[in-house]
Amino acid sequence: MSMITERPVSKPAGQPPVRTEDTPTVARRDVRAVVSAYVALTKPRIVELLLVTTVPAMMLAAGGMPSLWLVAVVLVGGSLAAGAASVLNCYIDRDIDQLMRRTKRRPLPAHTVSPRNALVFGLVLAVVSVALMAAFTNLLAAGLTLAAIVYYDVVYTLWLKRTTTANTFWGGACGAAPVLIGWAAVTGSLAPAAWALFAVVFFWQMPHFYPLAMKYKADYARAGIPMLPVVASPRRVNAEIVIFAWLTVLTSLAVWPLGMSPIYGLPTLVVGAIFVIEAHRLAGRVNRGEAVKPMRLFHWSTTYLTIVFAAVALDALI
C-alpha cells in the first residue's frame, strides 16, 4: 500500500507551507476501494432484481403485508444468499472473466481482491444467510436458500455454463428461487400460486438474458462459453426468445385465476402484450437483416418483470 506523507518543502520567505496529501486521507481512500471491490463481487444489481420478486411473493402468501420483522429477515437473508452465490460465481469464473471485455474489470481479474479472500467471503456470506433463514424463518425457506446457492455455483457455474447451450434454461431455476423462498418463509409450505410465479420468472430469463448474450457474443466465444447466441444461428436464438416471451406472458396470466383480481390481471396483460411485441420486433429485425438492437428488449424485460410483481404486491394489499 503506497502512503503519501508530509515532507519538508522549500518555500520562499513569507509563503504558507505547502502540504501534500496526508496519510489518513489515503488510508480512507484505500478502505473505500477495498469495500467497493467486495461489494462489486456480490453483483448488487442482480440482488436488487431478485428482491423485486421476493417481497411481492411474500405479500401474496400472507394475503397482505407480512410482519415487517419477517420481511426484514428475508430481505437481509436473501441479499446475503444472492451475494454469496455471486461472489462464489466470480471465484469460479475468474479464469474466463479475464478473457471477456464485459467482465475483465471485475475485482478478481483486476486483482483488487485475491481469489482466496473472495472464496472465504462468499462462503461466510452463504453460511450466515442460511443460518439467518433457519433461525428466524423455517427449515423449508432455509433449505431452499441453501439449494439455490449450491445449484447456482455448483450445477450451473461449474457444470452447465461451460458444457451445454441449454445453460441459461436450466440455470433459470436459480433466478426464480427467491419467489419460493419468500413464499415458504411466510407459510412454511408452497402453494400452486407460488409455483406459478416461479414459472413466470423461470421462463422470463431466456428473453431477458439471450439479448445480453447476443450483444456480448464475441466475449462468450472468446471465453469458450457455449451460450446459445455463440453456437446457434440468429434466427434460432430469436425464435427461442419469442417462444419464451410468450410462455412468460401466458404463465403470468395463468396466475390470474389463482386468487388474483383485475388489479393484477389488467396491468399484466398490457405489459405482457408490449413484452411479446418487443420480442417479435427483435426477431423481425434479425430476419430482415437489419441492425439488431438486443439491449432494447433486455431493458424492457426488466421493466416488465418489475411491473408484474408490483401488480402482485398491489393486488395482495387491496
Side-chain angles (χ1 to χ4, degrees):
M1 181 185 300
S2 64
M3 293 292 187
I4 302 175
T5 57
E6 185 177 332
R7 59 184 183 275
V9 178
S10 298
K11 63 184 188 303
Q15 293 294 318
V18 178
R19 294 175 60 87
T20 59
E21 192 171 14
D22 58 13
T23 299
T25 300
V26 176
R28 285 194 296 271
R29 189 172 298 165
D30 288 343
V31 169
R32 285 197 296 268
V34 170
V35 171
S36 296
Y38 278 93
V39 171
L41 284 173
T42 66
K43 302 179 184 177
R45 290 185 179 179
I46 294 178
V47 173
E48 290 173 8
L49 187 60
L50 295 178
L51 297 182
V52 162
T53 65
T54 304
V55 175
M58 293 180 69
M59 295 171 67
L60 184 60
M65 193 67 195
S67 75
L68 294 180
W69 165 251
L70 182 61
V71 172
V73 167
V74 173
L75 286 178
V76 173
S79 297
L80 293 175
S86 293
V87 173
L88 295 174
N89 168 267
C90 287
Y91 171 78
I92 295 166
D93 277 352
R94 65 192 185 279
D95 58 333
I96 61 176
D97 279 351
Q98 63 186 348
L99 302 175
M100 300 172 61
R101 285 194 297 270
R102 185 173 67 91
T103 58
K104 67 182 180 180
R105 292 187 179 87
R106 286 177 177 173
L108 287 176
H111 305 293
T112 53
V113 177
S114 71
R116 180 182 179 278
N117 287 351
L119 177 61
V120 171
F121 180 50
L123 291 175
V124 168
L125 289 181
V127 170
V128 171
S129 66
V130 175
L132 188 66
M133 297 295 284
F136 297 107
T137 62
N138 54 65
L139 292 181
L140 177 59
L144 289 170
T145 301
L146 176 61
I149 296 171
V150 172
Y151 187 94
Y152 182 69
D153 290 312
V154 177
V155 178
Y156 171 72
T157 304
L158 271 176
W159 176 35
L160 295 173
K161 182 176 182 179
R162 299 173 184 241
T163 59
T164 175
T165 59
N167 48 24
T168 302
F169 177 83
W170 293 112
C174 308
V179 172
L180 300 183
I181 294 169
W183 192 287
V186 173
T187 66
S189 61
L190 296 173
W195 287 107
L197 291 175
F198 171 89
V200 171
V201 184
F202 178 83
F203 289 131
W204 166 85
Q205 287 180 91
M206 272 61 72
H208 172 69
F209 184 76
Y210 283 159
L212 183 69
M214 290 170 65
K215 179 176 176 63
Y216 294 103
K217 174 181 174 179
D219 260 4
Y220 286 114
R222 189 180 303 110
I225 302 300
M227 292 297 177
L228 189 65
V230 174
V231 299
S233 69
R235 285 178 179 266
R236 159 77 186 281
V237 174
N238 282 275
E240 292 207 15
I241 287 174
V242 168
I243 290 170
F244 283 112
W246 274 103
L247 285 173
T248 302
V249 173
L250 292 174
T251 306
S252 69
L253 294 176
V255 178
W256 194 345
L258 299 176
M260 310 297 285
S261 75
I263 294 173
Y264 165 82
L266 294 180
T268 298
L269 181 62
V270 172
V271 295
I274 299 172
F275 187 35
V276 168
I277 289 170
E278 287 296 333
H280 278 280
R281 282 179 176 171
L282 177 59
R285 287 193 294 270
V286 169
N287 293 338
R288 292 189 299 270
E290 299 175 358
V292 179
K293 299 177 181 178
M295 296 305 287
R296 177 186 173 97
L297 179 60
F298 173 81
H299 292 303
W300 171 250
S301 67
T302 302
T303 302
Y304 163 81
L305 193 71
T306 302
I307 293 174
V308 168
F309 275 83
V312 171
L314 187 60
D315 198 317
L317 284 176
I318 296 180

